[in-house]
Amino acid sequence: MTSQQIRSKFLEYFARNGHTVVPSSGLLPEKDPTLLFVNAGMVQFKNLFLGLEKRPYVRGTSCQKCVRAGGKHNDLDNIGKTLRHHTFFEMLGNFSFGDYFKKEAIAFAWEFLTKELGLDASKMWVTVFREDDEADELWRKTGVRPERIVRLDEKDNFWSMGDEGPCGPCSEILYDLGENVGCRRPTCAVGCDCDRFLEIWNLVFMEFDRSADGTMTKLPKPSIDTGMGLERVTSIIEGKIGNYDTDLFVPIIRRIEDIAGCAYGESEKNDIAIRVIADHARGATFIINDGILPSKEGRGYVLRRIIRRALRYGRKLGIQKEFLHDLSKSVVDIMEEAYPDVKNNHSYIVRVIRGEEERFIETLGMGMKLYEEFTGDLKKKGSAVIPGELVYKLYDTYGFPVDITTDMALEDGLVLDREGFEKALSEQKERSKTGSKIKGEEWNEGHLTILGQGLASTFTGYGTLKDEGVIGAILVGNDTVAEISEGEEGELFLDTTPFYAESGGQVDDSGTITLAGGAATAHVTAVTKVKEDLFAHRVVVEKGAFHKGDRVSLTVDEQRRKGTSRNHTATHLLQFALRRVLGDHVKQSGSLVEEGRMRFDFTHFEAMKEEQIRAVEDIVNEKIMECVPVVVNVKSREDAIREGATALFEEKYGETVRVITIGDFSRELCGGTHVANTGQIGSLYILSESSLASGVRRIEATTGRGALAYKRRMEGTLRAIAKRTNTEFDRVEERVENLLGEIALKEKELDRFKQDIIAHRVDGAIAEAIDREGMKIVTLFVENASPDDLRKVTDVVRSKVKDCIVVVGTAGAEDKGLVVASVSRDLQKRYNAGKIIKSLTGHYGGKGGGGPNIAQGGIPGDKVPESLKKVEQFIDT
């Protein structure tokens, strides 16, 4: 069987046994700031295990994309050194949410492995938690011999997702690869760290919820969470010793061999490098596919480490050029059947990886040179510790992740001053006031209470702006109440609603909720999506009272909805136009769609030229004038993506999705509201194009009424300028250019006058200078001067006086003073400009510094004249 067949067979087996097949979630955990990435199949079901959410099924099965390259479960250091660890992997799992427990879980696992996959039962072993007599007995009844059941401690057989959350005892199924694999010691047994006994399936008997203080609380209903690594079970089915010899990796490794000119299996050193690169090519491809970009913190830093680690191992194989982006094609070829979106995003993935490769290779050579020079000196001195300051410099200036420096140090028999590095890193974070805290959103306490009630909302707002619904629950603060009265603010949960909840970048609707006959009225100020089918309507009650169970009338603000719909459809046109003008690497990475304007963030790696902006604007407006119908279809997510529909990074999609098709040029998965045809947008104006982050640009634009208001505002401004400059409207630009030219000439004349005045004053200052031991001490106060002006004054003085010390100062706005000192070359052995400034500024409570020839510092503005009079005392300090 191939890996694809195993993946399908697993899901089909559990579907036959009453499980709902649930698509893999993205790699970014939803509303869980405790995790960098989804690291197990159960993450998307966390609230089901906690009893905080209800879904229409109690048994589920999935093949989940996972990354373990940060946080508690971090396999990065083991990659390449073992045959079974990966940054990115797929976890096959079956789950029971309070339905079946140990008996059925054990029976399902054994039947699938022995009957469906045909694995040899005589080669399998089982581990159980030391206190779990029930699991031990169940395995014996299944047919596993007692000597093949091993009891282990909490470290090995008690599983938890993180430091807190659902957890419980577990039972692992292991496969014996034979005496010739692993350490080959006669004493080798289950529990040995070698590769002989391969852990393939972990059955977690979810019984507890561990809190932050370590308290274990029984879950409402015992549940089952299992996980089997697709890569590992594939290696067994295909008769391979390790995962890297399976069809999930071999095509990638063959491509690496072509690029590096060496063969896998010839040398252990090269084999480790090849495994690292193959693994990291997969990890980088899938992390980027889910919308993460390389950066200095959080998930972006993990991605950067993965890419740069692969590049450094590439150099060990003699690869001096960019190559990792090339390998992503092999990854896509292997995975596109299971994950069609990775094929759709391939050009974007290549662009991101290539950009990071180019940046790293530019600095890698310089960083390696610095490292080699420094460590060479260390070895000469007999030291084995690389100072933290150097580690930080490699990290901050040359982009070396610390693990790369650690690897290089280990190879050279050196160790890192970790404490010194952490101190330098901490100081930098304090300076920039940025941390590496994982950004995330936690569940609102009140919303968790509502989730537990199993309420749901049917959204009818695609077809109507007016409807009726029944109030299923009321929240005031985090408390559920039976009534909300005039003057109170709270949240209403309705079984039916035409109100759009903020999502997909589109803002929420506003409007009114009323009781029959107008006995009570509330203004809807916000609508949030607690989950896909549950909306919270934040209201301010303006009249009367609302009660749980009331049937109410719901009316959406029509003008606000129409404005947001125009702008939302325009974002689809904008993405099409950007891809046509800039290339297929363009992907939407965020948006804000409001009534009067829109903001569109997209992946691109340089500022757009003015002609490109105009071209994009022209394409969008052409499509608007063509009045192209906007067609909505509902289909399965898998089918939509396989047909080439674009999915957005930040969106979480259900199994069924809406596909918005505009003509033959735009097809996107989108849950937002749209116009019926593009002509209803009116027109689009691009207001600005700017940088948002590395590799991400932002366009702000407006349509419809907003575009008209913008046009009138700009036209009004131009007419006002025309009137003030006594110019015809059509000649405003010409007139402004002439005025700017005239101003530039005047500024040059003023600067010339200023220099003449300064030269005159310099001569006066030299004449009044203090003569001392064959040198002159020249001081001068210059009103409203810039730092550059003051430095020029010191240059003028030194050009006229051979041996001199010059100290000049100025005072500006907000009582800020600036002092610059300069020492002529021949005097620098005796006097130092930096020391003079430090002494002077320190005396007046300021700060400053510089080199021996020139330095500057700041002091209170009213103290500058006094400091210049007392300058001799600071020269002698």
Side-chain angles (χ1 to χ4, degrees):
M1 277 184 276
T2 64
S3 57
Q4 176 63 22
Q5 290 169 329
I6 295 168
R7 189 190 288 116
S8 299
K9 185 177 279 287
F10 181 89
L11 297 176
E12 289 164 2
Y13 170 79
F14 281 101
R16 290 200 309 271
N17 284 281
H19 293 67
T20 296
V21 178
V22 183
S24 171
S25 71
L27 289 172
L28 277 65
E30 182 179 8
K31 293 189 178 180
D32 191 343
T34 65
L35 291 175
L36 272 172
F37 297 99
V38 168
N39 58 15
M42 64 82 63
V43 173
Q44 68 169 311
F45 304 116
K46 185 175 179 180
N47 282 334
L48 291 176
F49 287 121
L50 290 171
L52 299 173
E53 183 183 347
K54 293 181 180 179
R55 294 188 189 175
Y57 53 85
V58 291
R59 298 182 176 193
T61 184
S62 68
C63 179
Q64 175 64 49
K65 299 181 295 183
C66 299
V67 166
R68 290 187 180 175
K72 179 181 177 182
H73 297 285
N74 183 359
D75 290 338
L76 194 58
D77 292 339
N78 290 319
I79 308 302
K81 297 173 186 174
T82 75
L83 302 177
R84 60 193 184 193
H85 287 97
H86 304 291
T87 49
F88 169 85
F89 63 97
E90 295 174 82
M91 185 175 284
L92 301 166
N94 59 290
F95 310 91
S96 165
F97 311 111
D99 183 36
Y100 62 81
F101 199 46
K102 294 182 185 179
K103 179 181 177 182
E104 294 85 351
I106 287 172
F108 283 144
W110 195 250
E111 182 177 61
F112 180 75
L113 291 176
T114 58
K115 300 289 195 301
E116 296 292 319
L117 296 186
L119 295 188
D120 185 348
S122 68
K123 292 187 177 182
M124 287 190 278
W125 291 68
V126 172
T127 67
V128 297
F129 182 49
R130 64 172 185 268
E131 300 168 9
D132 198 344
D133 296 333
E134 181 186 6
D136 187 303
E137 181 62 27
L138 287 168
W139 280 116
R140 292 176 188 231
K141 288 181 178 179
T142 304
V144 178
R145 298 201 306 273
E147 64 270 20
R148 292 260 171 167
I149 302 171
V150 180
R151 294 195 180 219
L152 295 175
D153 290 334
E154 185 172 344
K155 175 179 175 291
D156 295 295
N157 276 75
F158 197 95
W159 194 92
S160 61
M161 186 179 65
D163 294 330
E164 53 186 289
C167 58
C170 63
S171 180
E172 288 192 331
I173 303 170
L174 302 94
Y175 194 87
D176 185 359
L177 296 176
E179 297 175 354
N180 293 325
V181 177
C183 65
R184 303 186 183 185
R185 293 193 299 266
T187 55
C188 184
V190 171
C192 181
D193 287 333
C194 75
D195 286 336
R196 174 178 171 179
F197 293 94
L198 183 65
E199 303 143 359
I200 55 173
W201 204 340
N202 190 12
L203 315 181
V204 179
F205 309 127
M206 200 73 70
E207 297 183 68
F208 306 102
D209 178 29
R210 184 178 1 225
S211 63
D213 63 4
T215 303
M216 306 278 275
T217 307
K218 274 275 190 181
L219 289 169
K221 292 182 179 179
S223 297
I224 291 295
D225 157 33
T226 83
M228 175 164 60
L230 175 64
E231 294 78 8
R232 294 187 182 191
V233 73
T234 300
S235 71
I236 295 170
I237 293 296
E238 294 184 357
K240 308 299 181 182
I241 296 301
N243 300 351
Y244 292 93
D245 291 314
T246 68
D247 63 0
L248 288 163
F249 286 91
V250 167
I252 307 171
I253 288 174
R254 293 291 172 264
R255 183 63 187 135
I256 296 170
E257 291 175 328
D258 291 342
I259 295 170
C262 63
Y264 183 62
E266 290 184 347
S267 115
E268 180 60 16
K269 185 178 179 181
N270 283 355
D271 288 353
I272 290 174
I274 290 171
R275 288 195 290 266
V276 168
I277 294 166
D279 172 89
H280 289 8
R282 284 181 12 126
T285 296
F286 274 90
I287 292 172
I288 294 167
N289 185 63
D290 273 14
I292 305 299
L293 289 171
S295 69
K296 274 193 172 184
E297 60 182 28
R299 298 178 180 102
Y301 178 58
V302 173
L303 173 59
R304 175 161 284 170
R305 287 177 67 193
I306 289 170
I307 293 174
R308 295 190 171 187
R309 198 164 184 261
L311 296 177
R312 198 179 79 80
Y313 274 94
R315 290 212 159 194
K316 288 187 176 188
L317 296 177
I319 306 172
Q320 300 296 321
K321 62 180 182 179
E322 300 100 332
F323 68 92
L324 197 63
H325 67 277
D326 183 297
L327 298 180
S328 71
K329 176 63 167 63
S330 300
V331 176
V332 170
D333 289 343
I334 297 166
M335 306 298 277
E336 64 177 309
E337 186 174 349
Y339 304 101
D341 56 322
V342 81
K343 180 181 181 181
N344 296 346
N345 295 334
H346 181 234
S347 62
Y348 162 72
I349 293 166
V350 167
R351 189 71 183 264
V352 173
I353 295 177
R354 187 159 202 162
E356 184 65 14
E357 285 184 296
E358 289 169 353
R359 278 191 292 273
F360 187 47
I361 287 173
E362 282 175 10
T363 57
L364 186 63
M366 292 183 288
M368 291 286 279
K369 184 178 180 183
L370 175 67
Y371 171 85
E372 289 164 1
E373 288 175 356
F374 203 96
T375 53
D377 291 339
L378 280 179
K379 289 175 182 176
K380 288 177 185 176
K381 296 174 183 176
S383 175
V385 180
I386 302 176
E389 293 85 355
L390 174 67
V391 179
Y392 176 74
K393 186 173 183 180
L394 287 168
Y395 160 78
D396 189 55
T397 306
Y398 297 99
F400 273 52
V402 180
D403 66 314
I404 287 183
T405 310
T406 303
D407 287 346
M408 293 192 298
L410 284 172
E411 290 166 7
D412 292 334
L414 303 171
V415 295
L416 269 57
D417 172 17
R418 284 273 181 179
E419 190 175 330
F421 168 75
E422 293 297 340
K423 182 182 177 185
L425 185 62
S426 176
E427 289 172 354
Q428 184 274 334
K429 285 181 178 178
E430 187 62 33
R431 285 194 301 272
S432 62
K433 294 186 178 179
T434 60
S436 59
K437 182 180 178 183
I438 306 166
K439 296 178 176 65
E441 179 187 4
E442 296 187 26
W443 288 91
N444 173 288
E445 185 181 328
H447 289 173
L448 285 175
T449 303
I450 300 298
L451 278 170
Q453 297 180 17
L455 298 177
S457 308
T458 299
F459 178 62
T460 60
Y462 293 130
T464 182
L465 299 182
K466 293 182 180 181
D467 210 331
E468 291 186 350
V470 176
I471 299 174
I474 304 173
L475 271 183
V476 175
N478 287 325
D479 300 320
T480 55
V481 297
E483 175 185 287
I484 182 169
S485 304
E486 186 173 326
E488 286 189 292
E489 183 176 350
E491 291 176 304
L492 302 184
F493 296 84
L494 303 153
D495 65 340
T496 301
T497 179
F499 285 91
Y500 183 84
E502 181 175 359
S503 61
Q506 180 174 327
V507 298
D508 46 3
D509 285 330
S510 61
T512 58
I513 297 178
T514 58
L515 272 177
T521 304
H523 178 57
V524 179
T525 60
V527 187
T528 55
K529 189 179 285 189
V530 179
K531 63 171 187 168
E532 190 60 34
D533 61 350
L534 181 61
F535 293 7
H537 304 72
R538 178 156 290 280
V539 299
V540 176
V541 180
E542 299 173 338
K543 174 186 173 184
F546 292 91
H547 304 81
K548 180 180 176 181
D550 282 347
R551 175 168 286 278
V552 293
S553 296
L554 312 163
T555 305
V556 174
D557 182 326
E558 184 175 358
Q559 185 165 313
R560 176 180 170 91
R561 168 67 79 82
K562 284 184 175 179
T564 54
S565 296
R566 279 192 291 265
N567 280 321
H568 202 146
T569 305
T571 64
H572 290 221
L573 298 181
L574 189 57
Q575 175 154 253
F576 159 70
L578 285 165
R579 287 170 70 88
R580 177 185 278 189
V581 173
L582 303 178
D584 289 342
H585 63 278
V586 169
K587 286 279 291 180
Q588 180 175 338
S589 62
S591 67
L592 175 65
V593 179
E594 296 180 326
E595 177 187 352
R597 70 185 184 104
M598 70 175 190
R599 192 178 69 209
F600 187 83
D601 303 334
F602 60 100
T603 53
H604 188 54
F605 303 90
E606 60 188 10
M608 290 178 68
K609 298 179 177 65
E610 187 63 30
E611 57 267 27
Q612 291 175 322
I613 295 173
R614 296 282 77 83
V616 166
E617 193 176 72
D618 287 345
I619 291 169
V620 172
N621 282 299
E622 281 293 330
K623 294 303 179 185
I624 290 171
M625 289 186 286
E626 288 174 11
C627 297
V628 184
V630 177
V631 180
V632 180
N633 290 301
V634 177
K635 55 181 63 181
S636 74
R637 177 178 63 170
E638 186 175 341
D639 286 345
I641 292 176
R642 203 174 298 282
E643 290 169 8
T646 301
L648 306 186
F649 290 135
E650 76 274 16
E651 275 299 281
K652 305 288 189 298
Y653 298 104
E655 293 177 50
T656 303
V657 296
R658 295 174 84 240
V659 180
I660 308 300
T661 303
I662 308 174
D664 60 357
F665 55 85
S666 175
R667 186 189 298 130
E668 295 190 25
L669 273 60
C670 183
T673 64
H674 291 270
V675 297
N677 74 75
T678 59
Q680 294 174 355
I681 297 171
S683 61
L684 175 136
Y685 280 97
I686 293 177
L687 306 177
S688 66
E689 190 273 347
S690 60
S691 172
L692 180 62
S694 176
V696 182
R697 307 294 298 177
R698 168 171 288 176
I699 278 179
E700 297 203 38
T702 183
T703 67
R705 293 175 185 270
L708 184 61
Y710 171 73
K711 172 186 174 296
R712 286 175 176 167
R713 195 163 57 248
M714 292 300 100
E715 188 177 285
T717 300
L718 285 172
R719 290 193 185 281
I721 294 171
K723 186 175 180 181
R724 291 287 302 273
T725 57
N726 195 27
T727 308
E728 293 176 18
F729 183 81
D730 292 340
R731 301 186 64 185
V732 166
E733 183 178 3
E734 180 185 341
R735 178 63 176 142
V736 169
E737 286 179 354
N738 290 337
L739 286 172
L740 289 173
E742 291 173 18
I743 290 169
L745 288 173
K746 299 291 185 185
E747 285 177 345
K748 284 184 179 179
E749 289 179 22
L750 284 172
D751 190 54
R752 196 159 48 246
F753 286 137
K754 189 176 180 181
Q755 295 306 319
D756 290 343
I757 292 168
I758 288 175
H760 177 72
R761 293 193 60 197
V762 163
D763 290 340
I766 293 172
E768 296 174 4
I770 300 169
D771 286 307
R772 178 170 161 180
E773 300 175 2
M775 70 172 182
K776 286 184 179 289
I777 301 172
V778 183
T779 62
L780 180 63
F781 182 85
V782 183
E783 294 83 356
N784 299 316
S786 67
D788 191 50
D789 290 336
L790 295 184
R791 284 192 288 270
K792 285 179 180 177
V793 170
T794 65
D795 290 341
V796 172
V797 173
R798 285 189 292 115
S799 69
K800 295 187 175 189
V801 181
K802 182 183 178 187
D803 295 325
C804 64
I805 295 174
V806 190
V807 183
V808 295
T810 190
E814 301 178 4
D815 196 36
K816 290 183 178 179
L818 179 68
V819 185
V820 175
S822 180
V823 177
S824 57
R825 184 184 298 275
D826 292 342
L827 297 178
Q828 287 173 20
K829 291 181 180 179
R830 295 162 53 197
Y831 302 101
N832 184 297
K835 290 181 178 179
I836 293 170
I837 284 296
K838 281 188 177 180
S839 175
L840 187 154
T841 56
H843 181 78
Y844 292 102
K847 288 184 178 180
N853 64 321
I854 193 162
Q856 69 180 51
I859 61 174
D862 61 351
K863 298 296 182 184
V864 174
E866 178 187 318
S867 70
L868 296 176
K869 291 177 183 176
K870 296 181 177 180
V871 76
E872 268 194 284
Q873 73 182 63
F874 305 119
I875 290 173
D876 296 329
T877 302

